[in-house]
Amino acid sequence: MKTYDAIIIGAGHNGLTTAAFLAKAGLDVVCLEKNEYIGGATVSREMYKGWLYSSCSYVCSLLRPEIYRALELHKHGLQVTPFGGSCQFMENGDYFGSYHDPEEAYREMARFSRRDADAYERYSADTMRQCRLVRDNLLRTAPDPTSFKPKDLMGLAELGLKFMDMGEDAMYETIRFWTMSVAEYLDQYFETDVIKTTKSGSGIIGTALGVYSPGTAYVLLHHYMGDVDGNVGTWGVARGGMGAIADSIAGALQTYGGELRAKAGVEKIIVKNGRATGVALESGEEISARLVVSAIDVKQTFLDRMDKSDLPEDFYNRVVNFKIRGSSGKVNIALDGMPTFPAIPKGSTLYHGDMHFIDSMERMERAFDDWKAGTWSKDPYIDMLIPTLTDPTMAPPGKHFMSCFVQYCPYQIDGRAWTEPEREAFGQTVIDQIANYSPDFKSLILHYEVRTPEDIENQIGITEGNIFHGELTMDQLLFNRPVPGYAQYRSPVSGLYMCGSSTHPGGGVMSAPGANAAREILADLRRTNTVPENFGDD
Amino acid sequence: MSVQHVPLGRLRTPFYERMVKLDTLNTWHEWKGYSTPDALYCAETEYFAIRNATAVFDLSPMTKYRITGPDSLAYLNRLVTRDMAKVKPGRVAYAVWCDDLGQVLDDGTIFHLREGEYRLCSQERHYDWLITSAIGFDVTVTEETADIAGLAVQGPTSYSVLSAMGLDGLGELKVFGLMHFDFEGTELMVSRTGFTGDLGYELWITADKAEALWDALFAAGQIFGIRAIGVHALEMSRVEAGYLAAYQDFLPAKATVRNGRTRSPLELGLEWLVDFKKPNFNGRRALAEEKRRGSTWRLVKLDIEGNKAAHHSYIYEKSKNNRKEIGFITSAVWSPICKQNIAIGTVKMPHGAPGSTVWVEIYYQREMHWNRAMAKAIVVDKPFWFPPRRSATPPGPY
Ligand SMILES: Cc1cc2nc3c(=O)[nH]c(=O)nc-3n(C[C@H](O)[C@H](O)[C@H](O)COP(=O)(O)OP(=O)(O)OC[C@H]3O[C@@H](n4cnc5c(N)ncnc54)[C@H](O)[C@@H]3O)c2cc1C
């Protein structure tokens, strides 16, 4: 029987990234995917004839340009087009627009508060200062603070230097920043509720926390630290949907001679004498390899696909306690034409950006209250985007695809499975909220798909459908991600590695966990590194 | 006596009024006497219209000459370095023309409109040279820059837009081909050419029909993401496609003052445009001699590490010790489509062979302070952006 150099479990974008860099280094790799399609949460599929749905992730900013370049993803069909701005519709008929053009953005803020408009400069600089610290660590393995290895000491020293280099004030700020709520953070700059509401959204996306919960300021950063062509904080759409990202990485993988197998769900990771030696598929087939890399989340990897007896007790318990709660859903809609939003001027650039329909911090917090009570938000925070205004390929000309990301939506209702009427009601909640601001919207709906966290778990396996493969709170970041002592992509079992979003630097379509894992694996094998370095920004 | 006074100030192209309507930025500059927009909404968005949907660029200020007469082929063949006999009616040729010393006067496109009837289109003005070269040939050279309006319609949905506008049969048109259509009783010439390296066309029509053409185009293009663009966006795509710009990557020979500032086609990587087998042409002897003796300069396309654009940088052989300056960058851009830091430059021979490594000194400013980086660069011989859709015939819908 053939023995591969490495098996990668899961063809999400991170698994594919790891596989591609290993194949590029000359390793004989196979990437195994349980579904008949690849991409995991980075996927687009024809869910309605003529329409491509980006069923999970829908916008791109975090994808590291270094990786894009190193894998030559443009040669495999990837194109990321930035879109500008966003719009917050208000109950009183007004709206707050965020424009790409800084002066337009200034004037709009000043329409509500000149003071807020002026404060934006300070907010931007302070946020960018935090961003720089984080961005610098994305394509690095988190140093282990307990280790005396030169690499870790160096890494820590570098991190420390960067930190000290920020200046005394900023050091205090950083500590506060990493622990405070997004609401408190924004209160330091803005007085207008709708402006704060607009900016707070990024603090709770994918997170089982409310805008007033400590730790959400960091989540804001996680959505701000990406860039499109160096414009930090800008988001874009992948031409052909988010699946184009996974497909292009798969293209690179195959160019480097790597194998990709769909419909090959892994039932068990095989461990012999404390060493991973391969996997057993759901079909019963066994595949052996010198090492196994898991791109599925840390709970599925260690709790579902391994025997407890092969794992140290402490480690096992930490994995059990890893926070990975489902809090987001999606409603994807095929539209017969472009809906109108009478509150904003015809032809406004705001149509191209994302739209939200919630206008106060109070409403944001209430939305979270519903989740805590075990149900979906009756007045949710929706991040709605019509990508077809930017990407002409996802629907027939003149028709549109609408992606609605919904916060909050629980994994289960009161601790039990969703019923069909409940799913339907959740979908209707979303449609109704949008229809409040668009009179012709409902009449244009041709088809829609409702996705609860439970659906996401069932389809692509992510525990509780948590979009980041584990929450992005300080206790689960950097050298604590996924669990202390195992933040460098290695596991307690020799020959078994992790490379999915449960690892540093976390979730989002970023490819950084996958690339970092590949670098560590190649180092262990003493092979030439194929993973690029951070571009740097001094 | 009635004197025809020349218009003062900047001229307006036939599409000016239409562009002004869409303009939100109010930043224009001068191009051969005409006002031309840097950008109309946002250079970045406009760039992506080229790569993602359809971009429309007003190229009316391009200098245009009509060349007719029984000797037109012989004349052109004498003028330019490539063999024009191979360029049949309905075809377009990219070409360069040289002085007697084999130094490039300009580059441009020659449209073989009908048997024996050509249009030469270039950045610079050459009437003096064209007339001088016409001595002994039975040809007529007519300047028609202001009479003919031109629009570049470029991008993956451009074929869909033009089809929706009713240009039937365009699907058959190959790269560097041209076709004639009827547009409201006037002849519309469409060529599958462009400066972006993507799927795209150029539309040519008499100036009086310009606005009607624009309106029809934008009406058809609305659902395909059509956008008017300015020069900034075009410039980015031009470098990605590896095309040269006069006054940037080379100087028209007749306009240089200092010795050694001109370039031959061989030095610009355009050897493929020089046909020594065809009958005599301007600069032939000098170019043959250069080929035998070797060139002084070489044009290079560079893939530079990092993400800081290498504007105006020096090129070195080595990064440390004994650093020898071997050339300089003439065009540089961060390529959003390739996620590559790319540039076009000039180096002294024998440096810069394809595949070789050179070093580029990049200065960049961060919050007032200047930084310097020595970045490694690989010399590449292919265009940076060369998608299959550029030449697919018939083109796909997107
Ligand atoms: C609804 C939603 C919206 C999101 N929106 C955005 C967004 O707009 N922008 C953004 O940047 N991020 C977004 N995210 C986050 C981002 O999509 C994810 O963090 C990221 O895609 C995870 O990638 P991954 O490769 O780590 O894992 P996954 O994409 O989860 O990939 C894991 C793969 O493993 C496969 N698999 C599971 N079990 C097995 C098994 N036993 N055997 C074989 N294969 C298996 C799965 O089918 C899947 O293909 C969103 C996520 C969700 C769920």
Side-chain angles (χ1 to χ4, degrees):
Chain A
M1 192 174 84
K2 172 169 181 172
T3 302
Y4 287 94
D5 288 329
I7 290 171
I8 290 88
I9 307 172
H13 81 290
N14 275 315
L16 291 166
T17 302
T18 304
F21 281 116
L22 295 183
K24 193 176 179 187
L27 264 58
D28 188 6
V29 303
V30 61
C31 186
L32 304 173
E33 167 58 46
K34 80 179 172 84
N35 287 318
E36 59 189 14
Y37 54 89
I38 63 160
T42 313
V43 70
S44 18
R45 294 196 297 148
E46 189 176 51
M47 304 303 287
Y48 180 67
K49 187 129 185 53
W51 269 257
L52 271 176
Y53 283 24
S54 283
S55 297
C56 291
S57 61
Y58 50 107
V59 283
C60 175
S61 166
L62 302 172
L63 182 65
R64 304 318 305 145
E66 298 89 343
I67 294 169
Y68 197 142
R69 181 176 188 172
L71 297 179
E72 300 187 296
L73 299 184
H74 68 288
K75 291 193 179 156
H76 303 284
L78 185 57
Q79 250 186 263
V80 177
T81 306
F83 60 88
S86 74
C87 180
Q88 198 84 14
F89 290 93
M90 299 170 68
E91 267 179 331
N92 66 3
D94 199 352
Y95 67 96
F96 172 70
S98 306
Y99 296 90
H100 182 62
D101 181 284
E103 284 302 315
E104 289 171 3
Y106 178 85
R107 287 197 290 274
E108 177 72 344
M109 281 186 277
R111 190 162 75 82
F112 291 84
S113 155
R114 180 158 301 275
R115 186 176 167 194
D116 283 0
D118 279 8
Y120 183 75
E121 198 174 36
R122 183 167 57 91
Y123 165 80
S124 245
D126 287 356
T127 310
M128 186 59 83
R129 200 171 300 122
Q130 299 302 333
C131 241
R132 264 169 58 79
L133 192 65
V134 183
R135 277 169 65 83
D136 199 59
N137 282 299
L138 296 178
L139 277 186
R140 291 173 200 255
T141 299
D144 182 348
T146 64
S147 147
F148 291 104
K149 283 193 202 139
K151 204 181 75 172
D152 289 305
L153 291 175
M154 286 266 291
L156 274 178
E158 260 181 61
L159 195 64
L161 274 176
K162 285 260 169 206
F163 183 56
M164 313 257 279
D165 195 36
M166 296 177 83
E168 203 172 305
D169 257 9
M171 285 163 65
Y172 293 126
E173 273 312 309
T174 304
I175 303 293
R176 295 182 61 228
F177 182 86
W178 285 64
T179 48
M180 85 202 309
S181 74
V182 66
E184 289 165 316
Y185 182 63
L186 293 167
D187 278 343
Q188 303 177 109
Y189 305 93
F190 305 110
E191 58 187 13
T192 311
D193 204 13
V194 69
I195 294 182
K196 285 191 273 192
T197 309
T198 295
K199 305 215 179 299
S200 71
S202 305
I204 51 141
I205 281 186
T207 306
L209 293 171
V211 286
Y212 289 100
S213 314
T216 46
Y218 171 78
V219 182
L220 172 100
L221 202 60
H222 200 82
H223 290 100
Y224 197 83
M225 68 190 184
D227 66 296
V228 179
D229 301 311
N231 294 313
V232 176
T234 299
W235 287 79
V237 296
R239 198 165 203 274
M242 292 299 278
I245 298 176
D247 292 347
S248 66
I249 305 173
L253 165 65
Q254 283 161 327
T255 306
Y256 301 133
E259 276 178 51
L260 186 55
R261 271 181 69 182
K263 288 198 274 187
V266 169
E267 181 65 39
K268 267 277 150 353
I269 296 168
I270 302 170
V271 178
K272 283 185 191 140
N273 305 323
R275 192 178 169 85
T277 60
V279 298
L281 300 187
E282 282 157 11
S283 63
E285 181 188 349
E286 292 195 0
I287 306 178
S288 60
R290 288 179 190 88
L291 51 96
V292 176
V293 191
S294 172
I296 60 182
D297 74 58
V298 67
K299 285 209 185 200
Q300 295 175 74
T301 307
F302 297 103
L303 309 185
D304 302 346
R305 304 287 155 227
M306 292 187 70
D307 287 329
K308 185 168 183 244
S309 55
D310 286 326
L311 295 166
E313 195 65 38
D314 263 351
F315 175 83
Y316 187 87
N317 285 331
R318 283 196 157 134
V319 173
V320 169
N321 290 320
F322 184 69
K323 282 183 302 187
I324 186 165
R325 296 167 295 188
S327 66
S328 329
K330 266 204 90 180
V331 180
N332 298 309
I333 305 172
L335 293 171
D336 203 17
M338 182 60 202
T340 51
F341 291 88
I344 53 176
K346 246 186 118 188
S348 167
T349 53
L350 295 176
Y351 281 100
H352 293 256
D354 27 23
M355 296 184 167
H356 313 107
F357 310 88
I358 189 164
D359 61 358
S360 73
M361 295 298 270
E362 165 91 26
R363 282 172 72 192
M364 292 291 272
E365 187 66 8
R366 294 279 164 261
F368 178 48
D369 289 344
D370 287 336
W371 181 88
K372 276 185 285 182
T375 183
W376 68 91
S377 307
K378 299 304 176 298
D379 179 23
Y381 168 77
I382 303 176
D383 187 38
M384 185 276 262
L385 180 76
I386 304 181
T388 37
L389 284 173
T390 306
D391 173 6
T393 68
M394 295 180 78
K399 315 281 179 191
H400 291 282
F401 167 64
M402 179 191 273
S403 160
C404 307
F405 179 90
V406 194
Q407 197 73 18
Y408 301 79
C409 182
Y411 170 53
Q412 291 188 319
I413 301 292
D414 292 329
R416 53 144 181 89
W418 285 72
T419 63
E420 197 44 47
E422 282 161 352
R423 286 180 78 252
E424 199 42 45
F426 165 61
Q428 273 311 317
T429 304
V430 173
I431 289 171
D432 288 344
Q433 197 195 49
I434 298 172
N436 284 339
Y437 302 88
S438 176
D440 54 355
F441 165 57
K442 281 190 181 175
S443 67
L444 293 168
I445 298 176
L446 294 171
H447 170 263
Y448 65 95
E449 169 198 46
V450 178
R451 292 168 67 84
T452 66
E454 200 179 47
D455 298 327
I456 294 169
E457 181 182 80
N458 288 339
Q459 284 163 28
I460 55 174
I462 307 177
T463 306
E464 291 205 20
N466 180 294
I467 79 164
F468 297 127
H469 284 204
E471 272 156 68
L472 300 173
T473 46
M474 193 58 199
D475 56 322
Q476 302 197 150
L477 286 173
L478 269 169
F479 37 73
N480 287 331
R481 191 171 184 89
V483 297
Y486 295 95
Q488 300 190 334
Y489 311 96
R490 295 170 188 84
S491 78
V493 176
S494 73
L496 176 62
Y497 294 79
M498 312 169 248
C499 74
S501 296
S502 292
T503 61
H504 168 78
V509 181
M510 185 159 30
S511 276
N516 289 341
R519 190 190 326 97
E520 293 298 324
I521 293 166
L522 291 171
D524 285 356
L525 297 176
R526 296 179 202 289
R527 300 289 280 246
T528 312
N529 179 31
T530 50
V531 180
E533 272 182 37
N534 254 328
F535 279 152
D537 177 40
D538 305 336
Chain B
M1 184 188 154
S2 102
V3 176
Q4 268 266 305
H5 299 288
V6 297
L8 301 179
R10 290 209 187 142
L11 302 175
R12 297 174 171 192
T13 77
F15 300 111
Y16 179 82
E17 297 300 334
R18 290 295 183 269
M19 288 191 287
V20 163
K21 265 198 199 151
L22 299 174
D23 180 25
T24 63
L25 298 178
N26 197 21
T27 84
W28 297 64
H29 66 274
E30 184 268 346
W31 173 14
K32 282 281 172 286
Y34 290 90
S35 276
T36 195
D38 300 335
L40 292 163
Y41 322 80
C42 160
E44 194 191 7
T45 313
E46 291 168 29
Y47 163 83
F48 278 102
I50 302 173
R51 296 294 180 228
N52 179 49
T54 292
V56 178
F57 179 75
D58 174 12
L59 37 80
S60 305
M62 289 291 283
T63 308
K64 298 163 220 110
Y65 302 98
R66 169 100 38 158
I67 295 158
T68 52
D71 288 346
S72 53
L73 171 60
Y75 165 72
L76 282 172
N77 237 356
R78 168 74 200 231
L79 181 77
V80 304
T81 60
R82 73 183 287 172
D83 187 359
M84 290 303 296
K86 291 180 182 154
V87 182
K88 303 291 178 220
R91 298 291 300 164
V92 188
Y94 172 60
V96 285
W97 48 102
C98 299
D99 63 12
D100 292 352
L101 301 174
Q103 301 301 293
V104 172
L105 293 168
D106 204 357
D107 66 346
T109 35
I110 301 173
F111 301 81
H112 197 167
L113 299 173
R114 289 174 193 82
E115 187 66 54
E117 185 187 335
Y118 296 87
R119 175 178 295 145
L120 186 150
C121 199
S122 64
Q123 183 73 240
E124 297 306 310
R125 296 166 177 146
H126 300 286
Y127 198 63
D128 173 39
W129 182 257
L130 294 180
I131 294 299
T132 309
S133 313
I135 295 170
F137 291 101
D138 185 1
V139 290
T140 313
V141 180
T142 320
E143 212 278 351
E144 56 176 14
T145 302
D147 308 331
I148 304 292
L151 280 183
V153 182
Q154 305 276 309
T157 61
S158 56
Y159 169 63
S160 297
V161 173
L162 295 176
S163 300
M165 209 181 96
L167 302 187
D168 295 334
L170 191 66
E172 305 309 311
L173 191 63
K174 295 204 177 82
V175 177
F176 283 110
L178 69 83
M179 282 169 92
H180 300 283
F181 294 90
D182 171 71
F183 179 77
E184 299 180 1
T186 301
E187 185 180 271
L188 166 68
M189 192 268 274
V190 179
S191 55
R192 190 162 170 186
T193 47
F195 215 38
T196 63
D198 222 301
L199 173 64
Y201 301 86
E202 288 170 334
L203 275 47
W204 312 86
I205 200 159
T206 49
D208 58 321
K209 280 293 166 97
E211 292 192 340
L213 178 67
W214 179 284
D215 294 343
L217 185 66
F218 276 76
Q222 213 234 325
I223 57 170
F224 297 102
I226 199 166
R227 253 177 207 282
I229 66 161
V231 172
H232 284 341
L234 185 73
E235 170 67 9
M236 292 168 77
S237 64
R238 186 280 289 183
V239 181
E240 291 175 329
Y243 295 140
L244 310 183
Y247 278 106
Q248 201 167 322
D249 304 302
F250 70 91
L251 292 179
K254 286 280 177 261
T256 66
V257 175
R258 293 168 182 79
N259 187 27
R261 301 296 157 98
T262 60
R263 294 289 183 271
S264 78
L266 310 181
E267 291 173 326
L268 294 178
L270 300 175
E271 192 172 341
W272 63 279
L273 283 183
V274 183
D275 190 341
F276 289 109
K277 286 192 225 90
K278 73 168 190 170
N280 195 24
F281 58 90
N282 265 339
R284 184 179 199 280
R285 193 186 316 157
L287 290 173
E289 179 65 8
E290 180 182 330
K291 201 167 156 48
R292 199 175 61 78
R293 296 236 309 251
S295 305
T296 310
W297 297 100
R298 171 165 21 213
L299 183 122
V300 287
K301 292 195 262 295
L302 297 176
D303 176 3
I304 306 168
E305 69 178 5
N307 60 350
K308 288 148 198 103
H311 298 294
H312 317 299
S313 296
Y314 274 124
I315 303 173
Y316 294 94
E317 187 183 9
K318 296 193 181 117
S319 71
K320 295 196 192 78
N321 311 329
N322 193 7
R323 269 170 40 176
K324 200 169 96 191
E325 186 191 300
I326 54 171
F328 47 89
I329 301 287
T330 53
S331 298
V333 71
W334 167 257
S335 162
I337 196 87
C338 308
K339 298 281 177 276
Q340 266 172 316
N341 189 17
I342 62 174
I344 297 173
T346 291
V347 295
K348 283 191 203 106
M349 289 291 277
H351 298 287
S356 66
T357 298
V358 296
W359 292 83
V360 177
E361 185 173 39
I362 300 171
Y363 283 81
Y364 61 97
Q365 202 174 21
R366 288 287 183 273
E367 302 196 302
M368 195 169 78
H369 289 212
W370 281 93
N371 293 334
R372 187 178 70 95
M374 281 299 272
K376 193 167 151 178
I378 311 273
V379 180
V380 300
D381 55 356
K382 294 259 163 42
F384 301 101
W385 178 243
F386 197 77
R389 66 180 178 230
R390 177 184 175 272
S391 47
T393 309
Y398 301 122

